[in-house]
Amino acid sequence: VHRLRSVDNLFVVVQEFKDYQFKENKEDALKDLEDLVKKLPWTDPLKVWELNNSLKKKKTKRKKHNPQSTASKEKLNEDGQGEGTDQKDASKQEGCAQNAAGVEPASGQDTEKTQGVASRNGEEEEEEANEQADAKDELQAGSGSETKAGDGKTSEGEAKVLKFRVTCNRAGDKHSFMSNEAARDFGGAVQEHFQWKADMTNFDVEVLLNIHNNEVVVGIALTEESLHRRNITHFGPTTLRSTLAYGMLRLCDPQPTDIIVDPMCGTGAIPIEGATEWPSCYHIAGDNNPQAVKRAANNICSLLKKNENKESSTSLGIPLDIIQWDICNLPLRTGSVDIIVTDMPFGKRIGSKKKNWDLYPACLMEMGRICTPGTGRAALLTQDKKCFAKALSRMGHIWRKGQTVWVNVGGLHAAVYLLKRTWERAEEKRSFW
């Protein structure tokens, strides 16, 4: 589950209420939330949390002596098939022997499989020694929270007191209370029920209280930081989340050998996600801002370094190039590109709504020129929907609108437009091609 590419955060649901009736009086509404804590089925979710912790711990242990990311690990699986299948079985048996395959290919020529197994056993022994202390703590914490989950009592002797915090996300205007009040009162009841210690920064358990109109979901967080922070090391003013980039690429259904272009790539979130997840396509990124191109190049470098560490000496290249160019005058042949995926300037932090009225039609025109007639497709993200709709209606002869997917980008209501390239030939701008 931690390897899902389009998910920001993971949590285990304790209980879900589809139509929760909030009292109108603030004190009563908060009292109800407090009383809820005793009635919730905590035992199984806490077991899931423990299991997740034991896997998570091993992962960070691993990282110390072999830094690597899940993204590059997955890529390796696709490239090195022998190791890939070996690794799948390993993770089934062990749940966290993910590294066995990751280390091996550099040294193992033809006997990848047997060597993989040998190295896994060796590593396990070495790891066991490293982790004995960890496992003891874990077991103690584990047995402790189970007794807590079972009957709300702690047995001080056998468990360290867990630290926790409650995070409340609230949406809707029908509530008499604020999210911090709900978190405070709900947290007080959790503390009483489990005898845990409240700690806002250095917590073991994060309890989530999500309130959306009349829906209430109580959960326990399984991720410490959002899963979208997987590729980017140098952020720009409008860096797109890797999870959103993945979703946009997937909407275009990339096929092996497709050429995928992001003509306004910014810090390179889309092409970098593309190159890691679809390594059998070729990705080209470009931007007119030299600062953005520099950041994107740095992000590509750190990705290559990550791959290099994993491979010990030899580095696998990635099928991605970055170029500084002008979006309205691209140095690409007519009809040479299969897919265009880009995050267009919203006109808020970058550019302006006024400039977009000239920029959008010019972009669509040039994108239409480089895209293969009939089979080419594009996924374009923007929040300036009015301007985009107008530009698209002027370019109706080269772009046909498919579906529109609504997304929330940092609180802004934006849309991903899926376009199909028509068979219409785009007029040539230059004579020299």
Side-chain angles (χ1 to χ4, degrees), residues 153-344:
K153 296 188 193 74
T154 41
S155 29
E156 281 300 342
E158 62 182 85
K160 66 177 175 63
V161 177
L162 289 176
K163 296 186 194 134
F164 82 103
R165 80 166 186 197
V166 170
T167 307
C168 176
N169 296 304
R170 188 186 64 85
D173 43 16
K174 298 272 190 292
H175 309 123
S176 56
F177 53 85
M178 305 304 287
S179 55
N180 56 350
E181 296 170 323
R184 182 194 62 206
D185 291 15
F186 192 79
V190 169
Q191 185 169 14
E192 220 166 273
H193 184 60
F194 290 114
Q195 301 294 305
W196 290 343
K197 198 167 159 233
D199 190 326
M200 298 318 270
T201 48
N202 195 9
F203 51 88
D204 302 304
V205 188
E206 183 173 21
V207 178
L208 305 173
L209 177 61
N210 292 342
I211 301 171
H212 190 273
N213 295 325
N214 276 3
E215 261 185 44
V216 176
V217 179
V218 180
I220 298 174
L222 299 179
T223 39
E224 276 163 38
E225 71 165 355
S226 178
L227 299 179
H228 77 264
R229 297 174 165 276
R230 54 177 172 262
N231 298 329
I232 306 295
T233 48
H234 296 71
F235 289 84
T238 60
T239 299
L240 196 65
R241 290 172 166 236
S242 300
T243 42
L244 204 53
Y246 174 82
M248 287 172 69
L249 282 152
R250 207 173 126 170
L251 281 171
C252 294
D253 187 26
Q255 298 302 311
T257 74
D258 274 354
I259 292 176
I260 305 176
V261 172
D262 181 350
M264 296 181 267
C265 71
T267 46
I270 294 172
I272 286 173
E273 184 64 20
T276 25
E277 294 300 314
W278 286 274
S280 49
C281 299
Y282 182 60
H283 306 261
I284 306 173
D287 203 285
N288 67 342
N289 178 345
Q291 183 62 35
V293 172
K294 199 170 155 192
R295 282 189 186 129
N298 284 333
N299 283 326
I300 294 170
C301 285
S302 31
L303 193 67
L304 284 168
K305 275 205 188 80
K306 225 186 266 178
N307 284 3
E308 202 173 304
N309 290 343
K310 190 190 61 185
E311 288 290 286
S312 69
S313 57
T314 53
S315 164
L316 290 170
I318 46 175
L320 167 56
D321 273 317
I322 169 99
I323 304 152
Q324 188 177 340
W325 61 26
D326 169 12
I327 173 66
C328 303
N329 205 5
L330 297 172
L332 294 166
R333 284 200 183 156
T334 300
S336 62
V337 171
D338 298 289
I339 297 174
I340 295 172
V341 182
T342 197
D343 172 11
M344 297 177 84

Side-chain angles (χ1 to χ4, degrees), residues 328 344 356-369 380 387-401 419-427 429:
C328 303
M344 297 177 84
N356 284 354
W357 286 97
D358 294 330
L359 178 69
Y360 280 20
C363 285
L364 284 171
M365 188 77 190
E366 184 66 344
M367 288 177 192
R369 181 188 70 76
L380 310 177
C387 176
F388 187 85
K390 188 85 179 103
L392 192 59
S393 67
R394 283 169 57 185
M395 296 296 145
H397 59 296
I398 44 179
W399 289 113
R400 184 99 352 109
K401 194 172 92 170
L419 310 180
K420 291 281 290 180
R421 178 72 171 81
T422 63
W423 286 97
E424 186 84 19
R425 280 193 59 187
E427 49 267 40
K429 270 200 190 163

Side-chain angles (χ1 to χ4, degrees), residues 99-114:
N99 217 19
V103 181
E104 224 17 65
S107 59
Q109 289 90 25
D110 297 326
T111 52
E112 308 144 339
K113 266 203 166 161
T114 47

